[in-house]
Amino acid sequence: MAIDISLAARPAGRPREFDIDEALDRAITVFSERGYHGTSISDLREAMGLTAGSLYKAFKDKHAIFLACFDRYKQVRNALLDEELAKASNGRDGVRRMLVFYAEGAHGDGGRRGCLAVGTAVELAIFDDEAARRVERSMDRFETTFETLIRRGQEDGSITRSIQPNATARLLLSVVQGLRVLGKTSPSREQTFSVVDVAMTLLD
Amino acid sequence: MAIDISLAARPAGRPREFDIDEALDRAITVFSERGYHGTSISDLREAMGLTAGSLYKAFKDKHAIFLACFDRYKQVRNALLDEELAKASNGRDGVRRMLVFYAEGAHGDGGRRGCLAVGTAVELAIFDDEAARRVERSMDRFETTFETLIRRGQEDGSITRSIQPNATARLLLSVVQGLRVLGKTSPSREQTFSVVDVAMTLLD
DNA sequence: CTTATTTGGAAACGATCATTCCCTAATTGG
DNA sequence: CCAATTAGGGAATGATCGTTTCCAAATAAG
């Protein structure tokens, strides 16, 4: 008796010939660089290597493509960050790793390309409730992670007890989002990482 | 003998019936909320109270309108900031006033509306050299102002000599740009100002 | 083998985009 | 008063937008 490897039975009909996540990864680049309104379906067709028909078979409309990109972007980035944080030896090291993780993304070509979450916040949050909810959830998650790491550091002795975990976490969140803005025009590695060093002095 | 009050002689032809700066101020609101690509000429017509013909008499094209908005936005904001900084009693007070100035703009309705400089950096900097140059000049100016205030504070004794003026200025710049990003989705006054308080502890 | 279902691909659609044109109105200079 | 110049207003333009439609191709179920 053969064992079905796939989790779900293949549905009736012609099977999709492209990988959704691969296509989304290419769309993420385009949306990050050009923004939502600056990206046309033609841009997406070209980047994803699909025809308009196939695009609209796989997604309801442009907005749905964008939201799927946002979700995939966050999923991938969060997984990478979690991997990095798993290596942290203590609270302070965790904060440092998180700041470095952001600084790596905010400088050079990646900095020029931009962060999809920051772009979404700036371009869409005010009139697009679904986008705003996603941005807010993303920011909350990072703020909470910073706060948890600070508390952990205060308990393991690597971070001074004289700072307020929630307010300091909020400031660190501001710093990393700001690095993304500055990275759009002056993404030098040196300047980006000097900000990380100064931010770390808050924990002394 | 009558004295001509105007600085320049009125040029031949029908005089313009609207005030350019007033029109730009309304356009600034629209561009801040909707972004460059999200704003149509129709949006601008409506907000500025002009017809397409008049718009294109006064400006070369949409891009020129946008750049004029950016320049006016910076001019107005810089004038307000300079006014605030003139009241500073010492270096530390100057830094505090500058942070508060930003925090006032980044929370509440103004935070939701957004900052035109941040919006331009995120949406346009990568492909629009003229916009990128303006953003960079704006950021440089603020970074330099922060640095000058820090040096002044170190000389007048209000700021510790143990911090590096340039790196700390860069961090403060990151913080205020980040506040603009966070202000798009969670613009509470309390959270915004708590970040200012934490940032000020860097100067101790 | 037939039917139902889904995708791929390309042409076609109406709407909206930024921009221009054309006519009238208002001003300066002669 | 006349010519030149510029602005106001609104219709018209061609291009591009996001989306739909239509048909052939590929699969599963019966």
Side-chain angles (χ1 to χ4, degrees), chain A residues 19-56:
Chain A
D19 182 89
I20 289 255
D21 284 340
E22 270 181 40
L24 286 179
D25 285 339
R26 296 180 214 205
I28 285 169
T29 301
V30 180
F31 275 129
S32 299
E33 288 179 348
R34 316 185 88 92
Y36 179 76
H37 293 296
T39 299
S40 69
I41 297 292
S42 280
D43 294 331
L44 293 173
R45 270 201 302 108
E46 198 175 332
M48 300 166 91
L50 302 173
T51 61
S54 299
L55 257 179
Y56 280 86

mmCIF file of all heavy atoms in Angstrom, chain A residues 19-56:
data_model
loop_
_atom_site.group_PDB
_atom_site.id
_atom_site.type_symbol
_atom_site.label_atom_id
_atom_site.label_comp_id
_atom_site.label_asym_id
_atom_site.label_seq_id
_atom_site.Cartn_x
_atom_site.Cartn_y
_atom_site.Cartn_z
ATOM 1 N N ASP A 19 5.887 27.846 -7.998
ATOM 2 C CA ASP A 19 5.863 27.774 -6.537
ATOM 3 C C ASP A 19 5.436 29.131 -5.975
ATOM 4 O O ASP A 19 6.051 30.163 -6.256
ATOM 5 C CB ASP A 19 7.250 27.403 -6.017
ATOM 6 C CG ASP A 19 7.264 27.264 -4.507
ATOM 7 O OD1 ASP A 19 7.002 26.149 -4.015
ATOM 8 O OD2 ASP A 19 7.505 28.278 -3.819
ATOM 9 N N ILE A 20 4.373 29.111 -5.186
ATOM 10 C CA ILE A 20 3.798 30.352 -4.674
ATOM 11 C C ILE A 20 4.812 31.155 -3.863
ATOM 12 O O ILE A 20 4.943 32.367 -4.031
ATOM 13 C CB ILE A 20 2.556 30.046 -3.800
ATOM 14 C CG1 ILE A 20 1.387 29.557 -4.669
ATOM 15 C CG2 ILE A 20 2.157 31.278 -2.992
ATOM 16 C CD1 ILE A 20 0.296 30.557 -4.890
ATOM 17 N N ASP A 21 5.531 30.496 -2.981
ATOM 18 C CA ASP A 21 6.478 31.220 -2.120
ATOM 19 C C ASP A 21 7.622 31.825 -2.926
ATOM 20 O O ASP A 21 8.052 32.953 -2.657
ATOM 21 C CB ASP A 21 7.023 30.294 -1.028
ATOM 22 C CG ASP A 21 5.993 30.061 0.068
ATOM 23 O OD1 ASP A 21 5.061 30.886 0.177
ATOM 24 O OD2 ASP A 21 6.105 29.067 0.801
ATOM 25 N N GLU A 22 8.110 31.101 -3.914
ATOM 26 C CA GLU A 22 9.157 31.660 -4.777
ATOM 27 C C GLU A 22 8.649 32.901 -5.499
ATOM 28 O O GLU A 22 9.338 33.916 -5.589
ATOM 29 C CB GLU A 22 9.591 30.624 -5.824
ATOM 30 C CG GLU A 22 10.729 29.723 -5.377
ATOM 31 C CD GLU A 22 11.106 28.738 -6.475
ATOM 32 O OE1 GLU A 22 11.131 29.123 -7.661
ATOM 33 O OE2 GLU A 22 11.366 27.557 -6.141
ATOM 34 N N ALA A 23 7.441 32.818 -6.012
ATOM 35 C CA ALA A 23 6.852 33.964 -6.707
ATOM 36 C C ALA A 23 6.675 35.135 -5.748
ATOM 37 O O ALA A 23 6.962 36.286 -6.093
ATOM 38 C CB ALA A 23 5.506 33.564 -7.324
ATOM 39 N N LEU A 24 6.215 34.842 -4.541
ATOM 40 C CA LEU A 24 6.029 35.910 -3.551
ATOM 41 C C LEU A 24 7.361 36.563 -3.203
ATOM 42 O O LEU A 24 7.441 37.779 -3.039
ATOM 43 C CB LEU A 24 5.354 35.361 -2.295
ATOM 44 C CG LEU A 24 3.862 35.046 -2.414
ATOM 45 C CD1 LEU A 24 3.335 34.482 -1.096
ATOM 46 C CD2 LEU A 24 3.057 36.285 -2.812
ATOM 47 N N ASP A 25 8.411 35.759 -3.092
ATOM 48 C CA ASP A 25 9.718 36.327 -2.756
ATOM 49 C C ASP A 25 10.145 37.363 -3.798
ATOM 50 O O ASP A 25 10.718 38.402 -3.467
ATOM 51 C CB ASP A 25 10.763 35.213 -2.649
ATOM 52 C CG ASP A 25 10.595 34.414 -1.361
ATOM 53 O OD1 ASP A 25 9.979 34.948 -0.418
ATOM 54 O OD2 ASP A 25 11.057 33.261 -1.298
ATOM 55 N N ARG A 26 9.844 37.064 -5.066
ATOM 56 C CA ARG A 26 10.210 38.044 -6.095
ATOM 57 C C ARG A 26 9.314 39.273 -6.021
ATOM 58 O O ARG A 26 9.753 40.401 -6.235
ATOM 59 C CB ARG A 26 10.080 37.406 -7.480
ATOM 60 C CG ARG A 26 11.060 36.262 -7.665
ATOM 61 C CD ARG A 26 10.912 35.654 -9.052
ATOM 62 N NE ARG A 26 11.174 34.213 -9.002
ATOM 63 C CZ ARG A 26 11.588 33.497 -10.042
ATOM 64 N NH1 ARG A 26 11.774 34.081 -11.206
ATOM 65 N NH2 ARG A 26 11.804 32.217 -9.914
ATOM 66 N N ALA A 27 8.059 39.049 -5.708
ATOM 67 C CA ALA A 27 7.133 40.178 -5.581
ATOM 68 C C ALA A 27 7.517 41.059 -4.394
ATOM 69 O O ALA A 27 7.373 42.284 -4.442
ATOM 70 C CB ALA A 27 5.704 39.673 -5.433
ATOM 71 N N ILE A 28 8.025 40.429 -3.338
ATOM 72 C CA ILE A 28 8.438 41.187 -2.154
ATOM 73 C C ILE A 28 9.513 42.207 -2.523
ATOM 74 O O ILE A 28 9.471 43.367 -2.085
ATOM 75 C CB ILE A 28 8.948 40.223 -1.050
ATOM 76 C CG1 ILE A 28 7.757 39.508 -0.402
ATOM 77 C CG2 ILE A 28 9.758 40.976 0.004
ATOM 78 C CD1 ILE A 28 8.158 38.351 0.507
ATOM 79 N N THR A 29 10.464 41.776 -3.338
ATOM 80 C CA THR A 29 11.513 42.701 -3.770
ATOM 81 C C THR A 29 10.917 43.907 -4.494
ATOM 82 O O THR A 29 11.274 45.060 -4.222
ATOM 83 C CB THR A 29 12.496 41.971 -4.714
ATOM 84 O OG1 THR A 29 13.071 40.870 -4.028
ATOM 85 C CG2 THR A 29 13.596 42.917 -5.168
ATOM 86 N N VAL A 30 10.004 43.636 -5.399
ATOM 87 C CA VAL A 30 9.398 44.721 -6.179
ATOM 88 C C VAL A 30 8.598 45.669 -5.281
ATOM 89 O O VAL A 30 8.751 46.895 -5.361
ATOM 90 C CB VAL A 30 8.487 44.149 -7.281
ATOM 91 C CG1 VAL A 30 7.854 45.272 -8.083
ATOM 92 C CG2 VAL A 30 9.270 43.228 -8.187
ATOM 93 N N PHE A 31 7.760 45.107 -4.424
ATOM 94 C CA PHE A 31 6.960 45.945 -3.533
ATOM 95 C C PHE A 31 7.856 46.744 -2.586
ATOM 96 O O PHE A 31 7.560 47.898 -2.260
ATOM 97 C CB PHE A 31 5.975 45.100 -2.727
ATOM 98 C CG PHE A 31 4.679 44.801 -3.427
ATOM 99 C CD1 PHE A 31 4.209 43.496 -3.524
ATOM 100 C CD2 PHE A 31 3.913 45.815 -3.987
ATOM 101 C CE1 PHE A 31 3.005 43.207 -4.156
ATOM 102 C CE2 PHE A 31 2.705 45.546 -4.623
ATOM 103 C CZ PHE A 31 2.250 44.232 -4.711
ATOM 104 N N SER A 32 8.950 46.130 -2.122
ATOM 105 C CA SER A 32 9.851 46.838 -1.206
ATOM 106 C C SER A 32 10.490 48.032 -1.899
ATOM 107 O O SER A 32 10.613 49.110 -1.321
ATOM 108 C CB SER A 32 10.943 45.897 -0.693
ATOM 109 O OG SER A 32 10.366 44.821 0.020
ATOM 110 N N GLU A 33 10.911 47.827 -3.135
ATOM 111 C CA GLU A 33 11.601 48.894 -3.861
ATOM 112 C C GLU A 33 10.653 49.991 -4.322
ATOM 113 O O GLU A 33 10.961 51.181 -4.224
ATOM 114 C CB GLU A 33 12.315 48.309 -5.090
ATOM 115 C CG GLU A 33 13.535 47.490 -4.755
ATOM 116 C CD GLU A 33 14.172 46.913 -6.018
ATOM 117 O OE1 GLU A 33 13.528 46.968 -7.092
ATOM 118 O OE2 GLU A 33 15.296 46.413 -5.925
ATOM 119 N N ARG A 34 9.503 49.602 -4.867
ATOM 120 C CA ARG A 34 8.620 50.560 -5.538
ATOM 121 C C ARG A 34 7.409 50.972 -4.718
ATOM 122 O O ARG A 34 6.690 51.892 -5.120
ATOM 123 C CB ARG A 34 8.135 49.980 -6.874
ATOM 124 C CG ARG A 34 9.223 49.296 -7.681
ATOM 125 C CD ARG A 34 8.740 48.842 -9.046
ATOM 126 N NE ARG A 34 8.882 49.883 -10.031
ATOM 127 C CZ ARG A 34 9.948 50.052 -10.810
ATOM 128 N NH1 ARG A 34 10.957 49.227 -10.723
ATOM 129 N NH2 ARG A 34 9.996 51.043 -11.668
ATOM 130 N N GLY A 35 7.142 50.257 -3.629
ATOM 131 C CA GLY A 35 5.941 50.548 -2.855
ATOM 132 C C GLY A 35 4.702 49.935 -3.481
ATOM 133 O O GLY A 35 4.766 49.370 -4.579
ATOM 134 N N TYR A 36 3.578 50.030 -2.791
ATOM 135 C CA TYR A 36 2.342 49.417 -3.282
ATOM 136 C C TYR A 36 1.823 50.131 -4.526
ATOM 137 O O TYR A 36 1.639 49.522 -5.581
ATOM 138 C CB TYR A 36 1.276 49.427 -2.185
ATOM 139 C CG TYR A 36 -0.041 48.820 -2.625
ATOM 140 C CD1 TYR A 36 -0.175 47.444 -2.738
ATOM 141 C CD2 TYR A 36 -1.140 49.618 -2.938
ATOM 142 C CE1 TYR A 36 -1.362 46.877 -3.139
ATOM 143 C CE2 TYR A 36 -2.329 49.056 -3.346
ATOM 144 C CZ TYR A 36 -2.449 47.678 -3.447
ATOM 145 O OH TYR A 36 -3.631 47.123 -3.866
ATOM 146 N N HIS A 37 1.623 51.432 -4.419
ATOM 147 C CA HIS A 37 1.049 52.174 -5.547
ATOM 148 C C HIS A 37 2.033 52.321 -6.695
ATOM 149 O O HIS A 37 1.624 52.510 -7.837
ATOM 150 C CB HIS A 37 0.572 53.549 -5.084
ATOM 151 C CG HIS A 37 -0.580 53.499 -4.139
ATOM 152 N ND1 HIS A 37 -1.817 53.001 -4.486
ATOM 153 C CD2 HIS A 37 -0.692 53.868 -2.835
ATOM 154 C CE1 HIS A 37 -2.636 53.077 -3.448
ATOM 155 N NE2 HIS A 37 -1.976 53.588 -2.430
ATOM 156 N N GLY A 38 3.312 52.241 -6.381
ATOM 157 C CA GLY A 38 4.330 52.374 -7.421
ATOM 158 C C GLY A 38 4.573 51.081 -8.186
ATOM 159 O O GLY A 38 5.317 51.070 -9.167
ATOM 160 N N THR A 39 3.955 49.996 -7.733
ATOM 161 C CA THR A 39 4.105 48.702 -8.388
ATOM 162 C C THR A 39 2.865 48.388 -9.214
ATOM 163 O O THR A 39 1.750 48.394 -8.701
ATOM 164 C CB THR A 39 4.308 47.590 -7.337
ATOM 165 O OG1 THR A 39 5.492 47.857 -6.587
ATOM 166 C CG2 THR A 39 4.433 46.226 -8.012
ATOM 167 N N SER A 40 3.053 48.120 -10.493
ATOM 168 C CA SER A 40 1.923 47.769 -11.358
ATOM 169 C C SER A 40 1.841 46.249 -11.510
ATOM 170 O O SER A 40 2.798 45.526 -11.221
ATOM 171 C CB SER A 40 2.083 48.404 -12.731
ATOM 172 O OG SER A 40 3.150 47.788 -13.425
ATOM 173 N N ILE A 41 0.695 45.794 -11.959
ATOM 174 C CA ILE A 41 0.544 44.358 -12.218
ATOM 175 C C ILE A 41 1.575 43.907 -13.247
ATOM 176 O O ILE A 41 2.106 42.796 -13.166
ATOM 177 C CB ILE A 41 -0.892 44.059 -12.719
ATOM 178 C CG1 ILE A 41 -1.915 44.422 -11.625
ATOM 179 C CG2 ILE A 41 -1.032 42.595 -13.091
ATOM 180 C CD1 ILE A 41 -1.878 43.554 -10.409
ATOM 181 N N SER A 42 1.885 44.782 -14.194
ATOM 182 C CA SER A 42 2.925 44.451 -15.170
ATOM 183 C C SER A 42 4.271 44.220 -14.485
ATOM 184 O O SER A 42 4.998 43.282 -14.832
ATOM 185 C CB SER A 42 3.071 45.580 -16.200
ATOM 186 O OG SER A 42 2.062 45.472 -17.173
ATOM 187 N N ASP A 43 4.602 45.073 -13.530
ATOM 188 C CA ASP A 43 5.842 44.881 -12.775
ATOM 189 C C ASP A 43 5.843 43.512 -12.101
ATOM 190 O O ASP A 43 6.856 42.804 -12.105
ATOM 191 C CB ASP A 43 5.990 45.969 -11.701
ATOM 192 C CG ASP A 43 6.183 47.361 -12.289
ATOM 193 O OD1 ASP A 43 6.740 47.453 -13.400
ATOM 194 O OD2 ASP A 43 5.792 48.343 -11.632
ATOM 195 N N LEU A 44 4.703 43.169 -11.514
ATOM 196 C CA LEU A 44 4.617 41.896 -10.804
ATOM 197 C C LEU A 44 4.698 40.728 -11.784
ATOM 198 O O LEU A 44 5.380 39.735 -11.525
ATOM 199 C CB LEU A 44 3.310 41.826 -9.999
ATOM 200 C CG LEU A 44 3.217 42.816 -8.828
ATOM 201 C CD1 LEU A 44 1.829 42.789 -8.209
ATOM 202 C CD2 LEU A 44 4.267 42.486 -7.771
ATOM 203 N N ARG A 45 4.013 40.839 -12.921
ATOM 204 C CA ARG A 45 4.077 39.802 -13.946
ATOM 205 C C ARG A 45 5.528 39.518 -14.307
ATOM 206 O O ARG A 45 5.977 38.376 -14.293
ATOM 207 C CB ARG A 45 3.327 40.282 -15.198
ATOM 208 C CG ARG A 45 1.864 39.924 -15.204
ATOM 209 C CD ARG A 45 1.303 39.950 -16.618
ATOM 210 N NE ARG A 45 1.457 41.227 -17.293
ATOM 211 C CZ ARG A 45 2.292 41.456 -18.281
ATOM 212 N NH1 ARG A 45 3.099 40.479 -18.696
ATOM 213 N NH2 ARG A 45 2.338 42.638 -18.851
ATOM 214 N N GLU A 46 6.220 40.594 -14.614
ATOM 215 C CA GLU A 46 7.603 40.447 -15.050
ATOM 216 C C GLU A 46 8.467 39.799 -13.962
ATOM 217 O O GLU A 46 9.196 38.848 -14.211
ATOM 218 C CB GLU A 46 8.155 41.828 -15.403
ATOM 219 C CG GLU A 46 9.408 41.804 -16.264
ATOM 220 C CD GLU A 46 9.814 43.211 -16.666
ATOM 221 O OE1 GLU A 46 8.912 44.079 -16.761
ATOM 222 O OE2 GLU A 46 11.014 43.456 -16.849
ATOM 223 N N ALA A 47 8.358 40.337 -12.741
ATOM 224 C CA ALA A 47 9.206 39.836 -11.650
ATOM 225 C C ALA A 47 8.863 38.403 -11.279
ATOM 226 O O ALA A 47 9.748 37.599 -10.987
ATOM 227 C CB ALA A 47 9.068 40.743 -10.436
ATOM 228 N N MET A 48 7.577 38.079 -11.287
ATOM 229 C CA MET A 48 7.152 36.755 -10.848
ATOM 230 C C MET A 48 7.175 35.741 -11.991
ATOM 231 O O MET A 48 7.017 34.544 -11.766
ATOM 232 C CB MET A 48 5.742 36.841 -10.235
ATOM 233 C CG MET A 48 5.655 37.767 -9.010
ATOM 234 S SD MET A 48 3.942 38.187 -8.532
ATOM 235 C CE MET A 48 3.560 36.895 -7.350
ATOM 236 N N GLY A 49 7.342 36.226 -13.208
ATOM 237 C CA GLY A 49 7.392 35.328 -14.350
ATOM 238 C C GLY A 49 6.052 34.687 -14.663
ATOM 239 O O GLY A 49 5.972 33.531 -15.054
ATOM 240 N N LEU A 50 4.979 35.435 -14.479
ATOM 241 C CA LEU A 50 3.628 34.895 -14.671
ATOM 242 C C LEU A 50 2.826 35.787 -15.605
ATOM 243 O O LEU A 50 3.170 36.949 -15.809
ATOM 244 C CB LEU A 50 2.901 34.812 -13.324
ATOM 245 C CG LEU A 50 3.570 33.978 -12.234
ATOM 246 C CD1 LEU A 50 2.825 34.123 -10.922
ATOM 247 C CD2 LEU A 50 3.598 32.526 -12.671
ATOM 248 N N THR A 51 1.778 35.266 -16.127
ATOM 249 C CA THR A 51 0.856 36.096 -16.910
ATOM 250 C C THR A 51 -0.239 36.607 -15.979
ATOM 251 O O THR A 51 -0.442 36.085 -14.878
ATOM 252 C CB THR A 51 0.197 35.290 -18.041
ATOM 253 O OG1 THR A 51 -0.554 34.231 -17.457
ATOM 254 C CG2 THR A 51 1.247 34.733 -18.984
ATOM 255 N N ALA A 52 -0.930 37.635 -16.458
ATOM 256 C CA ALA A 52 -1.985 38.230 -15.632
ATOM 257 C C ALA A 52 -3.024 37.186 -15.248
ATOM 258 O O ALA A 52 -3.487 37.146 -14.102
ATOM 259 C CB ALA A 52 -2.629 39.398 -16.377
ATOM 260 N N GLY A 53 -3.357 36.335 -16.222
ATOM 261 C CA GLY A 53 -4.346 35.293 -15.949
ATOM 262 C C GLY A 53 -3.946 34.427 -14.766
ATOM 263 O O GLY A 53 -4.730 34.230 -13.833
ATOM 264 N N SER A 54 -2.705 33.944 -14.783
ATOM 265 C CA SER A 54 -2.235 33.072 -13.699
ATOM 266 C C SER A 54 -2.221 33.800 -12.359
ATOM 267 O O SER A 54 -2.553 33.229 -11.317
ATOM 268 C CB SER A 54 -0.830 32.556 -14.017
ATOM 269 O OG SER A 54 -0.856 31.797 -15.204
ATOM 270 N N LEU A 55 -1.830 35.072 -12.420
ATOM 271 C CA LEU A 55 -1.802 35.859 -11.186
ATOM 272 C C LEU A 55 -3.189 35.921 -10.557
ATOM 273 O O LEU A 55 -3.347 35.720 -9.347
ATOM 274 C CB LEU A 55 -1.333 37.289 -11.490
ATOM 275 C CG LEU A 55 0.093 37.646 -11.130
ATOM 276 C CD1 LEU A 55 0.403 39.082 -11.516
ATOM 277 C CD2 LEU A 55 0.304 37.463 -9.634
ATOM 278 N N TYR A 56 -4.175 36.188 -11.380
ATOM 279 C CA TYR A 56 -5.531 36.349 -10.859
ATOM 280 C C TYR A 56 -6.202 35.007 -10.572
ATOM 281 O O TYR A 56 -7.252 34.958 -9.938
ATOM 282 C CB TYR A 56 -6.366 37.222 -11.797
ATOM 283 C CG TYR A 56 -6.078 38.698 -11.592
ATOM 284 C CD1 TYR A 56 -5.035 39.329 -12.245
ATOM 285 C CD2 TYR A 56 -6.824 39.444 -10.674
ATOM 286 C CE1 TYR A 56 -4.756 40.670 -12.032
ATOM 287 C CE2 TYR A 56 -6.556 40.781 -10.452
ATOM 288 C CZ TYR A 56 -5.518 41.384 -11.133
ATOM 289 O OH TYR A 56 -5.235 42.710 -10.913
#
